[in-house]
Amino acid sequence: MEQCAVLLWGWLLLGCSWGPGPPGVGAAALSTATYKLDDAYGLGRQFDGIGAVSGGGATSRLLVNYQEPYRSQILDYLFKPNFGASLHILKVEIGGDGQSTDGTEPSHMHYENDENYFRGYEWWLMKEAKKRNPKIKLIGLPWTFPAWIGKGENWPYDYPDVTAYYIVSWILGAKHYHDLDIDYVGIWNERAFNSKYIKLLRYTLDKHDLQQVRIIASDRLWEPISFVLLLDSELHGVVDAIGAHYPGTKTVPNALLTKKKLWSSEDYSTFNDEVGAGCWARILNQNYVNGNMTSTIAWNLVASYYEELPFGRCGLMTAQEPWSGHYKVEAPIWITAHTTQFTQPGWSYLQVDGHLEGGGSFVALTDGLGNLTIIIETMTYNHSQCIRPPLPHFTVKPQRATFYLKGSFYTVKTLQVWHSRLDFESGRSSLFQQLHPVKVWKGSFSIDLNVDEVYTLTTLKTGQKCGHPEPPPPQPFPSNYKDDFNIRNPPFSEAPNFADQTGVFEYFINASDPGDHVFTLRQVVVQRPITWASDADQTISLIGNFKWVNMTVTCDIYIEKQRDGGVFVAGRVDNGGIYVRRTKGVFFWVFADGTYRVTGDLAGEEILMKGLSGVRNNAWHTLTLNIQGTSASGLLNGYPLWENVTISQPSNGWAAIGTRSFEFAQFDNFHVEAS
């Protein structure tokens, strides 16, 4: 049951004064300026759309575990046209088994002779986006690569034909198995590009009849890619768009000289409160006004990862509680709608300066068929700072703007009005409300603008602010949680709520075990991937509630690697994501050589206790870790193995499982009881 808001006739309460009639009381004090919108002398750049990133990494991890109807509701807010954010573009990570910010995403080819186009959740997400908006554009970009691509080197360009084959396999698999057409593909997120590789990628795409797939480079800075494109005409011929990250609304002369499409191919990355909404409103306009960028893509789509991981809640909305069904439609969703619901890729910007005299900005776009959309933002300095880059100081003040519509727009008689006002005092923001239409009188209208506002004025009558019933209230992660992994045809390759931070843990059918352990969870990355971040030397998957203090973690474990193989269960785990190497906690390890250790860190350097366990590889054992207050103890197969180990730090954290190295190992009957 969805609802869409009706027109708000209480528009006068917002203090909007529509010209050209006499100004309201006190309006004389406002600074006034005039702006001309004219298509008679041609148009500006073609608009390529507004989008968001799932991945880079594991940012949508918890979304897939939501029960219906909540999962579909979240997807509606993101992708359904004229509903919520109505995104034009979905950019996903091409999983490479390595840590890419908030976790690892599985590769479609863990090993050279391995192909599987059903791992992870990005395939599913792209299909759900396409289901809601068949016109949505899809982009794939790798952050990490499986080890075999580099043949032992932490570098994907030594064998560029191998890397190109790997990436094109992903694009072909998207089509063959999921009927998904990928529109753009990137090179290597925020890392070096290689001209030979880019040319080979284009050649390989064309060889497989993928001429329609465009190449974006280099998802880092404007330079050196712009300079190299100007020097290398062959490279210039194969790169379709220059993508820069966090450009601070600015471009560089060389980028303009290439005459390529310029995109902010990753931006935002800011906590999704009102200031985050202000950041997003400002850059959505000013990336074009200041930097000629025709697409802006937010990292990230939806904050569906444990909030205490790096960059918690840096999504357009928040959905980090699949166990409760709770999610939150944050302000950035409605800021997005101001642009996305009233434009489409293929529209054109008008040639305007775009700076408001009293501070703030506006853009105007047309479909070339008589429709006009104007988006105005008046975000103030303190209320629109993004996470990066630093924002130079500026001032914005209340002002009156008069717009003169010329050329084909002179005949426009009325404009629909949508309004948001971010309120930093009471916290009661007014988001994406439809106001009374504005009358255009002899080709002009005036509007009084306050600070921290967004207006959309448009000839389109299709905008809607829609909603679903309130989701359930928030709840902490269940304090008594079990998973026996007994699922024959799992909908996803990963078990619910486990957040892999190094390595990849997948459902596994153990054909050699006719007994209790046919269906298990298996760590499957056996060589260190070509990394993007500082992956740990051990593998680890987190689960639970970061606030947990006392807990008992039990899990059946199966070491597959002889001699130096090993696995652990852990509690009070305090870190993950790009900081996974510095993870502390209480780690209970057993090794294939028959020894055990208790350590205060994932790296295994802070040894709290060690001794003999009798554990061997290729046999099932049950580990139990009990942490109460400042004391920990461990059981092996139900019998005490060690006790009275004093724990000082950390005081709280997640539960976890993992392995000593990149090695095969299995886990079953996971159970945590915590408080």
Side-chain angles (χ1 to χ4, degrees):
M1 171 73 186
E2 68 186 55
Q3 301 136 342
C4 299
V6 290
L7 178 59
L8 269 191
W9 292 100
W11 57 283
L12 285 168
L13 299 176
L14 287 160
C16 310
S17 161
W18 303 114
V25 180
L30 286 181
S31 63
T32 60
T34 59
Y35 308 93
K36 191 169 74 171
L37 302 179
D38 192 351
D39 61 353
Y41 304 104
L43 298 169
R45 291 183 174 234
Q46 188 181 79
F47 174 67
D48 295 309
I50 305 302
V53 184
S54 170
T59 54
S60 305
R61 175 67 196 92
L62 298 173
L63 174 63
V64 297
N65 308 143
Y66 271 81
Q67 300 298 303
E68 295 297 346
Y70 310 116
R71 190 172 71 177
S72 288
Q73 291 171 3
I74 295 161
L75 294 163
D76 286 348
Y77 282 115
L78 295 168
F79 300 120
K80 196 171 178 180
N82 298 311
F83 189 95
S86 307
L87 291 166
H88 301 139
I89 299 169
L90 171 61
K91 178 175 179 175
V92 304
E93 176 175 352
I94 300 174
D97 295 339
Q99 172 60 246
S100 50
T101 298
D102 288 298
T104 66
E105 297 205 20
S107 171
H108 59 290
M109 299 174 78
H110 293 315
Y111 330 109
E112 201 163 356
N113 57 357
D114 160 66
E115 282 183 76
N116 182 326
Y117 297 93
F118 295 90
R119 292 186 184 124
Y121 32 85
E122 305 298 2
W123 311 109
W124 167 83
L125 186 64
M126 288 189 281
K127 285 191 287 191
E128 292 293 331
K130 278 280 186 192
K131 198 188 294 182
R132 287 163 175 78
N133 176 8
K135 293 197 293 199
I136 198 167
K137 303 277 189 224
L138 300 175
I139 307 176
L141 174 67
W143 269 249
T144 74
F145 300 86
W148 62 270
I149 297 283
K151 301 192 181 179
E153 296 298 318
N154 196 32
W155 191 246
Y157 300 135
D158 286 344
Y159 305 91
D161 52 326
V162 175
T163 308
Y165 158 76
Y166 167 81
I167 293 296
V168 171
S169 298
W170 184 87
I171 296 170
L172 290 168
K175 183 63 176 173
H176 186 263
Y177 293 98
H178 304 286
D179 198 26
L180 292 166
D181 293 301
I182 304 300
D183 297 284
Y184 285 87
V185 65
I187 307 306
W188 187 14
N189 183 71
E190 292 172 358
R191 298 293 178 263
F193 68 91
N194 176 286
S195 298
K196 181 184 175 186
Y197 166 70
I198 297 173
K199 294 168 191 174
L200 199 59
L201 177 61
R202 178 75 270 163
Y203 171 79
T204 312
L205 287 165
D206 293 347
K207 197 171 77 176
H208 290 90
D209 292 324
L210 294 168
Q211 288 83 359
Q212 80 285 359
V213 180
R214 302 270 167 236
I215 291 177
I216 181 163
S218 67
D219 282 294
R220 196 176 189 181
L221 303 172
W222 293 118
E223 299 290 15
I225 185 68
S226 300
F227 180 67
V228 175
L229 286 174
L230 293 173
L231 291 180
D232 184 336
S233 59
E234 189 190 348
L235 189 67
H236 191 279
V238 301
V239 171
D240 298 279
I242 304 177
H245 286 197
Y246 307 95
T249 78
K250 304 289 200 299
T251 187
V252 298
N254 279 344
L256 293 167
L257 286 173
T258 66
K259 303 278 197 285
K260 294 291 180 189
K261 291 178 177 294
L262 307 181
W263 288 11
S264 178
S265 53
E266 186 180 313
D267 218 327
Y268 177 66
S269 188
T270 301
F271 190 79
N272 58 22
D273 59 6
E274 257 61 2
V275 173
C279 151
W280 187 228
R282 180 175 56 77
I283 64 178
L284 281 178
N285 267 17
Q286 294 192 22
N287 276 345
Y288 183 74
V289 170
N290 298 332
N292 288 275
M293 286 167 261
T294 53
S295 177
T296 298
I297 300 174
W299 188 89
N300 57 66
L301 175 72
V302 53
S304 284
Y305 45 99
Y306 291 114
E307 190 173 331
E308 297 84 3
L309 287 168
F311 308 106
R313 269 187 58 190
C314 287
L316 297 179
M317 64 181 286
T318 306
Q320 56 192 21
E321 283 191 23
W323 47 88
S324 72
H326 179 73
Y327 62 85
K328 189 154 181 244
V329 184
E330 311 281 5
I333 289 286
W334 301 117
I335 295 300
T336 311
H338 272 283
T339 299
T340 52
Q341 288 203 19
F342 309 105
T343 57
Q344 284 300 324
W347 282 43
S348 293
Y349 284 98
L350 268 59
Q351 294 184 28
V352 294
D353 171 79
H355 294 97
L356 293 170
E357 286 195 15
S361 67
F362 72 95
V363 292
L365 300 100
T366 181
D367 61 355
L369 306 170
N371 281 309
L372 173 68
T373 291
I374 307 161
I375 305 137
I376 303 168
E377 62 80 24
T378 58
M379 295 301 134
T380 54
Y381 173 77
N382 284 338
H383 294 158
S384 68
Q385 295 191 26
C386 304
I387 195 167
R388 67 181 80 86
L391 183 61
H393 195 270
F394 61 89
T395 55
V396 181
K397 55 182 191 278
Q399 57 195 299
R400 168 168 292 186
T402 300
F403 288 89
Y404 289 95
L405 307 187
K406 306 280 190 182
S408 70
F409 308 123
Y410 183 76
T411 55
V412 171
K413 294 285 179 276
T414 58
L415 291 167
Q416 307 301 309
V417 182
W418 292 81
H419 172 257
S420 291
R421 181 176 51 84
L422 297 173
D423 186 327
F424 295 88
E425 304 307 314
S426 70
R428 286 198 296 275
S429 294
S430 165
L431 295 168
F432 199 60
Q433 301 294 343
Q434 188 172 14
L435 306 186
H436 198 285
V438 59
K439 298 276 184 285
V440 183
W441 180 258
K442 291 185 180 172
S444 88
F445 68 92
S446 296
I447 174 171
D448 288 352
L449 304 169
N450 209 329
V451 299
D452 295 326
E453 291 189 317
V454 183
Y455 280 97
T456 303
L457 301 108
T458 180
T459 54
L460 296 181
K461 296 180 177 175
T462 47
Q464 289 186 102
K465 182 176 187 179
C466 295
H468 287 292
E470 272 296 295
Q475 297 279 344
F477 191 94
S479 57
N480 189 345
Y481 184 85
K482 290 181 182 177
D483 195 337
D484 60 12
F485 313 118
N486 288 357
I487 180 164
R488 187 170 290 278
N489 294 303
F492 296 98
S493 57
E494 299 159 286
N497 305 318
F498 279 93
D500 304 348
Q501 301 303 313
T502 296
V504 171
F505 294 72
E506 292 178 349
Y507 284 118
F508 182 65
I509 298 182
N510 197 345
S512 63
D513 190 329
D516 300 335
H517 300 288
V518 176
F519 299 100
T520 66
L521 193 68
R522 191 187 197 205
Q523 201 295 118
V524 295
V525 179
V526 294
Q527 285 179 282
R528 185 179 185 80
I530 296 174
T531 55
W532 181 80
S534 298
D535 296 45
D537 299 321
Q538 306 74 21
T539 73
I540 179 170
S541 189
L542 309 172
I543 192 167
N545 183 342
F546 186 75
K547 298 184 175 71
W548 280 345
V549 176
N550 299 322
M551 63 186 89
T552 301
V553 186
T554 300
C555 194
D556 297 342
I557 60 92
Y558 185 90
I559 302 170
E560 297 189 44
K561 189 181 183 190
Q562 294 180 9
R563 289 186 297 280
D564 55 356
V567 302
F568 69 80
V569 299
R572 291 193 191 169
V573 175
D574 74 344
N575 242 317
I578 49 177
Y579 308 120
V580 65
R581 283 188 78 82
R582 61 172 88 148
T583 299
K584 307 275 192 228
V586 183
F587 293 80
F588 174 17
W589 309 77
V590 290
F591 303 110
D593 66 1
T595 64
Y596 78 88
R597 280 189 181 185
V598 184
T599 68
D601 59 340
L602 175 61
E605 291 164 0
E606 186 191 330
I607 299 167
L608 306 174
M609 177 81 94
K610 61 182 181 177
L612 298 175
S613 67
V615 167
R616 290 286 182 266
N617 58 290
N618 296 337
W620 282 98
H621 301 276
T622 303
L623 301 186
T624 304
L625 170 65
N626 185 23
I627 309 170
Q628 301 292 328
T630 57
S631 181
S633 58
L635 285 76
L636 175 64
N637 301 326
Y639 293 96
L641 181 64
W642 54 272
E643 56 192 3
N644 298 330
V645 169
T646 302
I647 308 301
S648 51
Q649 291 291 327
S651 54
N652 56 280
W654 294 288
I657 56 174
T659 65
R660 179 188 210 170
S661 66
F662 290 98
E663 62 185 272
F664 286 123
Q666 293 176 58
F667 302 85
D668 203 0
N669 300 316
F670 177 85
H671 182 199
V672 57
E673 276 189 275
S675 60

